[in-house]
Amino acid sequence: MQKYILPLMKTIKSKLLLVYLLFTCITLCASIYCYTIYRAREYNSEIKDLIHLISSEILMLNKLELQFVSYDSKNNTFFEGAGSSYVEKHQKTIAGIHAKIALLEKENIANDTIVQNLQLLKVQLIKYNNDYLKFVAMVKERGFRDLGIEGEMRKCIHKIEKSYKNASDESLLLTIRRNEKDYFLRKDTSYISLHQKHVRLFREQIKADKQLTSTEKELYTGWLDDYFSLFTKWMIIDKEIGIDQGIGMTANMKAYNELFELIIQTINAESDRRGIVLSNNNKAILLSAISISVVLSILLSILFSYIFTKPILELSDYIDEIVKNNFSVPARKIKIDSKDEIKDLFDNVNHMVDRIEIYVGEIKKNELIIEESERKFRSMIENSNDAIALINKDGKIMYASSSTSKVIGYSSIEIEGRYVFEEIHPEDKSRLLDHLKEVMLDSGTNLYVEVRKMHKDGEYRWLECHSCNMLNDQSIEAIVTNYRDITNRKLSEFKIDHQYKELQKVNAELDGFVYSASHDLKAPLLSILGITNIAKIDSNEETSVFYFNMIEKNISKLLHVIKDIINFSRNTHLEVERELVDFNQIIQESIQSVSYLENKGNVDFDIHIAEAITFYSDKSRLGMIFSNMISNAIIYHNYNQEKPVVRIAVAAMNQQQIVITISDNGQGISPEYHTRIFDMFYRASTDSKGSGLGLYIVKNIVEKMQGTIELTSIPGVGTQFKMVFENIKPVKNISAQLEIAV
């Protein structure tokens, strides 16, 4: 037996196995011995843990109740049917408590007090959950704001408020609403009697109102009765819920929580008592077992550590000698049994020394390759048209590539050691400083700036700089900046900018010319038109009057063309103003402006402007639109009918938009012309009396004001133009103006 065991004991594996077996036997014996001792305490601890979990979840139930009352009972989303996350969590918590009680019941706890209290807790939880779900349903039925009973109640009273406008009764209606809100907020029953009294009084006043028909009285009193009935129902449900009064179902759930707390306290007290008894009985036995295990472990550790450490110390000395001599130590033989793994470890160390000599040779060869690559890379950098500079955190240039001389005329030696702000144009120093601050704050990001720096020849050159923060990179520890000369490009940009400004100046002069020319044409034409009217009045010859009429028509047509040209120029070049618009004033002024037109007096104007419209827009452009549309309606009207009329309506679509409708019962426009009616200089027929610019200008004005225009026309019936505009209120601060401009 000894012959077979001793060889096995010479390997590290077998020795460690023996140690592990001894420790395992000791541990196993102690564990088996202590298992029976501690099982009772562990079992009791598991029960206590479950009880504590149940206790914490019961506390969570109370918290979820309060959260439901505080949030979802006053949240429209809950009453609209979206459900309540707090109710869902509450039900999941209830299910979790029941599951834990079921686990405790499966443990067959040998304690009647704990078992009885768990059964009582289980029964009361079921009752409590039923009451809680009923409580949630009643809260939802009661409603909030515009939903549930409260919402229906308010709908009824709002119908009366909107429909019944008698002054004395309206004040009484406000009193009723105030009584209602006082009760909602304070829950004072004295407001109920006041509410009932004022409702009866209001009902009697409705019946006594002689201005109402019997149908209206019946309708209003019906709404009032429905309102009072819903209020009474709300009051009863609110009292049953008892959230603010601490009565009703709220008080019931509070009582449940107190009962749960008492049950849990009883169970915890009984469990703690059992734990103390077990602890006192088993403490001495546990200490004895631990002491024996510790003594045996120490003895075995001392014995086997000596067996293992002797060859390991010898190996450690050998490795230390190898390291100190830079792996040039000759291989050492060790006198150890060949079956011991320590000898294998020695052999592997010797083999490692041989391999390291080979690897050192390869490393030296690779270093030569890296040096060659570095020379190539440096050559590429130094011969590039872009210059590279490494700048430290203080702004000093630590390195400059040789291509620096191509960009700013200085050699690398001349520029290294100098600060980056030297010879920068005074106007650009603050920009460069901001650029470097931004680079230092953002690591790894490439940022861009353009600055002027003095060339060695004494002239400033524009530089395009790209900088990257590499201060945290241990191999660089600098800000890497690539820069190039962009002076020629900047000169081209300045030239383009100058040409653009010159073009703007020419356009402004052209606008002035158009305005002046049109004004100079308009003044003598108006004079001729006035003289023609006087001559017609003084002349008695029909032929002279005929010719004067022809002159007057052509002058009027020319004036209309000049007016269209002026309007087109103004709309093209002037910004949209933001002014408070008086539609009545603009429409009347537009009608007055076309008083010179023939048949103007034969057309009736039907104007409807909605009340309380507060609208901001460009009054001048709106005037152009109304003048063009009204003049077209007069010129192309059908005067063979009994009542030629032009209808103008202004109404609010919503808080941000208005709609303007201009219609007539004139000649109408054929469908084939609808798609081209807004084109420049387009005339539907050779008999057209206009310039062909009117509707084109109208559409351009509408688009300039970010509006829309629609045409509806039936030949022989009439034409309607519908325009929608945005309410562009004045901007109060510069930042907002810039945002709008962008």
Side-chain angles (χ1 to χ4, degrees):
M1 188 72 177
Q2 185 177 4
K3 180 182 178 181
Y4 296 104
I5 294 176
L6 289 177
L8 292 174
M9 294 302 295
K10 291 180 180 180
T11 63
I12 295 176
K13 181 178 179 181
S14 60
K15 292 174 183 178
L16 289 175
L17 180 59
L18 178 59
V19 175
Y20 292 151
L21 287 175
L22 289 173
F23 274 107
T24 302
C25 290
I26 295 170
T27 305
L28 183 60
C29 292
S31 299
I32 294 172
Y33 184 68
C34 294
Y35 176 77
T36 55
I37 298 173
Y38 285 99
R39 181 60 188 128
R41 290 191 64 192
E42 291 174 359
Y43 178 73
N44 187 61
S45 177
E46 291 172 0
I47 292 173
K48 285 182 68 175
D49 289 343
L50 279 174
I51 292 170
H52 287 156
L53 287 174
I54 292 171
S55 177
S56 63
E57 290 186 352
I58 286 175
L59 290 175
M60 180 59 70
L61 293 179
N62 189 25
K63 181 180 178 181
L64 291 171
E65 287 175 22
L66 295 175
Q67 288 176 331
F68 170 76
V69 171
S70 299
Y71 300 108
D72 285 349
S73 66
K74 300 174 184 177
N75 186 353
N76 285 345
T77 305
F78 168 71
F79 292 98
E80 289 171 353
S84 168
S85 60
Y86 301 114
V87 174
E88 292 176 2
K89 291 178 182 177
H90 188 278
Q91 293 305 296
K92 289 180 180 178
T93 305
I94 286 285
I97 294 172
H98 280 294
K100 291 176 179 62
I101 292 174
L103 288 175
L104 288 173
E105 289 175 343
K106 291 179 181 179
E107 294 292 336
N108 295 321
I109 301 171
N111 188 297
D112 293 338
T113 302
I114 294 176
V115 171
Q116 290 171 5
N117 278 278
L118 284 174
Q119 186 62 29
L120 176 61
L121 178 62
K122 181 178 179 181
V123 172
Q124 292 301 321
L125 272 172
I126 294 171
K127 293 180 180 179
Y128 160 77
N129 192 43
N130 291 335
D131 286 351
Y132 175 76
L133 292 176
K134 183 179 178 183
F135 168 80
V136 173
M138 292 180 72
V139 169
K140 189 167 186 178
E141 181 183 6
R142 184 189 65 178
F144 179 68
R145 291 186 179 172
D146 298 329
L147 300 169
I149 294 174
E150 186 173 334
E152 294 298 322
M153 178 179 68
R154 290 183 177 176
K155 287 178 183 178
C156 293
I157 201 69
H158 286 165
K159 290 179 182 177
I160 300 174
E161 289 174 342
K162 292 179 181 178
S163 304
Y164 190 47
K165 299 298 182 180
N166 188 294
S168 61
D169 293 339
E170 191 171 350
S171 64
L172 183 57
L173 185 59
L174 292 174
T175 303
I176 292 171
R177 295 304 306 279
R178 187 172 64 252
N179 293 149
E180 169 199 318
K181 289 181 175 61
D182 286 339
Y183 177 73
F184 281 6
L185 295 173
R186 303 174 186 176
K187 297 296 185 292
D188 189 346
T189 55
S190 62
Y191 291 110
I192 297 176
S193 58
L194 287 173
H195 185 268
Q196 294 173 343
K197 175 184 174 181
H198 289 128
V199 168
R200 287 196 299 270
L201 182 60
F202 185 49
R203 196 175 193 279
E204 292 171 1
Q205 287 185 359
I206 292 174
K207 289 185 175 181
D209 193 339
K210 295 180 180 180
Q211 296 180 3
L212 299 176
T213 64
S214 58
T215 303
E216 289 175 332
K217 290 178 181 180
E218 183 178 351
L219 180 62
Y220 296 157
T221 54
W223 287 342
L224 186 62
D225 292 342
D226 291 343
Y227 163 74
F228 186 72
S229 174
L230 290 167
F231 175 80
T232 303
K233 186 176 180 182
W234 185 96
M235 182 180 64
I236 293 170
I237 292 176
D238 184 67
K239 188 174 181 180
E240 290 182 11
I241 294 171
I243 291 176
D244 299 321
Q245 304 98 317
I247 60 175
M249 299 198 73
T250 303
N252 290 344
M253 286 188 286
K254 183 178 179 182
Y256 278 121
N257 287 324
E258 291 174 353
L259 177 60
F260 295 155
E261 184 177 355
L262 180 61
I263 293 171
I264 293 299
Q265 286 178 354
T266 303
I267 294 173
N268 279 331
E270 184 64 21
S271 180
D272 290 340
R273 187 189 64 79
R274 292 183 71 247
I276 292 170
V277 172
L278 289 171
S279 177
N280 292 334
N281 292 339
N282 299 322
K283 188 180 297 182
I285 299 173
L286 178 61
L287 290 174
S288 300
I290 291 174
S291 300
I292 295 170
S293 298
V294 169
V295 171
L296 290 175
S297 298
I298 292 172
L299 293 174
L300 289 172
S301 298
I302 294 172
L303 175 63
F304 285 100
S305 63
Y306 176 77
I307 296 172
F308 289 137
T309 54
K310 183 180 178 181
I312 292 174
L313 286 173
E314 187 177 351
L315 178 60
S316 177
D317 293 338
Y318 179 42
I319 293 174
D320 186 53
E321 186 179 352
I322 292 171
V323 173
K324 287 180 179 178
N325 291 278
N326 198 17
F327 298 93
S328 60
V329 177
R332 179 192 294 183
K333 301 298 180 180
I334 185 171
K335 295 180 180 180
I336 290 181
D337 195 315
S338 60
K339 293 184 179 180
D340 198 324
E341 287 89 344
I342 296 295
K343 184 179 183 302
D344 294 335
L345 185 58
F346 268 86
D347 293 339
N348 289 331
V349 170
N350 289 327
H351 180 68
M352 179 187 69
V353 173
D354 295 336
R355 296 299 300 171
I356 286 176
E357 289 179 358
I358 298 172
Y359 292 150
V360 167
E362 292 179 355
I363 290 170
K364 290 180 178 179
K365 187 187 296 183
N366 290 332
E367 286 177 351
L368 294 174
I369 296 172
I370 291 171
E371 288 176 1
E372 180 65 24
S373 298
E374 185 179 351
R375 282 195 296 273
K376 291 180 180 178
F377 180 70
R378 184 177 295 274
S379 176
M380 290 172 59
I381 292 176
E382 291 176 350
N383 292 292
S384 172
N385 289 326
D386 290 358
I388 300 174
L390 300 183
I391 305 167
N392 67 10
K393 62 181 180 180
D394 297 324
K396 183 181 287 187
I397 300 173
M398 308 303 296
Y399 166 79
S401 63
S402 59
S403 53
T404 302
S405 59
K406 297 179 182 178
V407 180
I408 58 176
Y410 293 98
S411 66
S412 302
I413 297 173
E414 290 175 312
I415 205 72
E416 288 175 357
R418 300 171 68 177
Y419 286 94
V420 71
F421 294 101
E422 294 182 23
E423 299 174 343
I424 295 294
H425 196 283
E427 296 178 0
D428 297 340
K429 285 186 177 180
S430 60
R431 188 188 310 130
L432 180 59
L433 177 60
D434 293 339
H435 170 72
L436 291 176
K437 286 180 180 179
E438 187 177 1
V439 170
M440 288 185 180
L441 291 174
D442 195 352
S443 179
T445 302
N446 200 323
L447 299 176
Y448 167 82
V449 71
E450 292 180 359
V451 295
R452 285 166 288 181
K453 186 175 179 69
M454 185 177 290
H455 194 272
K456 193 173 182 179
D457 60 11
E459 295 183 359
Y460 282 105
R461 303 292 173 88
W462 277 98
L463 303 181
E464 178 185 82
C465 306
H466 296 266
S467 301
C468 183
N469 183 353
M470 305 293 286
L471 290 168
N472 295 328
D473 190 329
Q474 294 182 355
S475 61
I476 300 176
E477 294 183 343
I479 296 172
V480 181
T481 300
N482 295 272
Y483 58 97
R484 67 182 65 169
D485 186 348
I486 58 167
T487 305
N488 292 334
R489 191 182 79 189
K490 294 296 290 187
L491 290 175
S492 299
E493 291 176 359
F494 293 150
K495 183 177 179 180
I496 292 170
D497 183 62
H498 177 72
Q499 291 174 346
Y500 174 72
K501 290 179 180 177
E502 288 294 322
L503 181 61
Q504 284 184 317
K505 182 179 178 182
V506 171
N507 284 337
E509 292 173 352
L510 182 60
D511 289 342
F513 169 76
V514 171
Y515 178 78
S516 299
S518 61
H519 183 271
D520 292 342
L521 287 171
K522 187 176 180 181
L525 288 173
L526 287 172
S527 299
I528 295 170
L529 186 62
I531 294 169
T532 303
N533 287 330
I534 294 171
K536 285 198 304 182
I537 294 171
D538 292 341
S539 176
N540 294 322
E541 297 182 6
E542 293 183 0
T543 304
S544 298
V545 172
F546 172 75
Y547 286 122
F548 279 129
N549 285 335
M550 290 179 63
I551 293 171
E552 181 183 16
K553 287 181 180 179
N554 283 281
I555 291 173
S556 298
K557 186 174 182 180
L558 184 57
L559 283 171
H560 192 68
V561 171
I562 293 171
K563 179 183 176 183
D564 286 345
I565 293 172
I566 293 171
N567 289 341
F568 175 73
S569 177
R570 287 177 178 173
N571 181 60
T572 303
H573 299 291
L574 296 179
E575 294 296 327
V576 177
E577 299 291 335
R578 299 165 181 267
E579 309 166 282
L580 183 62
V581 177
D582 184 346
F583 283 102
N584 185 59
Q585 179 184 354
I586 292 176
I587 293 171
Q588 293 301 329
E589 289 177 354
S590 300
I591 294 173
Q592 185 65 31
S593 69
V594 297
S595 58
Y596 64 87
L597 292 176
E598 185 180 0
N599 291 319
K600 186 263 181 183
N602 298 328
V603 177
D604 291 331
F605 289 91
D606 184 8
I607 301 171
H608 293 280
I609 302 173
E611 296 181 359
I613 291 181
T614 303
F615 185 73
Y616 291 88
S617 190
D618 193 317
K619 295 194 291 187
S620 176
R621 284 183 167 86
L622 287 173
M624 295 180 196
I625 292 173
F626 281 115
S627 296
N628 273 290
M629 302 298 277
I630 291 170
S631 64
N632 280 353
I634 293 172
I635 292 171
Y636 299 107
H637 218 295
N638 179 13
Y639 294 100
N640 295 325
Q641 60 181 313
E642 184 177 351
K643 292 183 179 181
V645 63
V646 176
R647 295 181 176 87
I648 303 173
V650 181
M653 292 182 67
N654 49 54
Q655 292 182 351
Q656 296 297 326
Q657 292 180 316
I658 64 156
V659 58
I660 299 174
T661 306
I662 301 177
S663 59
D664 60 55
N665 56 352
Q667 300 175 12
I669 302 171
S670 298
E672 62 267 23
Y673 302 132
H674 286 189
T675 57
R676 299 191 60 193
I677 199 71
F678 294 107
D679 292 349
M680 181 184 285
F681 299 120
Y682 180 75
R683 297 178 176 87
S685 67
T686 55
D687 298 331
S688 177
K689 303 179 181 66
S691 64
L693 284 172
L695 289 178
Y696 172 77
I697 293 171
V698 168
K699 186 175 182 182
N700 273 269
I701 292 173
V702 171
E703 291 175 350
K704 186 87 171 182
M705 297 170 66
Q706 298 181 354
T708 60
I709 183 169
E710 296 178 3
L711 166 67
T712 304
S713 184
I714 301 174
V717 177
T719 302
Q720 174 182 288
F721 290 92
K722 179 181 178 182
M723 293 164 283
V724 178
F725 294 100
E726 296 287 335
N727 193 350
I728 49 174
K729 295 183 179 180
V731 181
K732 297 181 180 179
N733 55 68
I734 299 299
S735 298
Q737 291 178 8
L738 290 174
E739 290 177 6
I740 290 172
V742 174

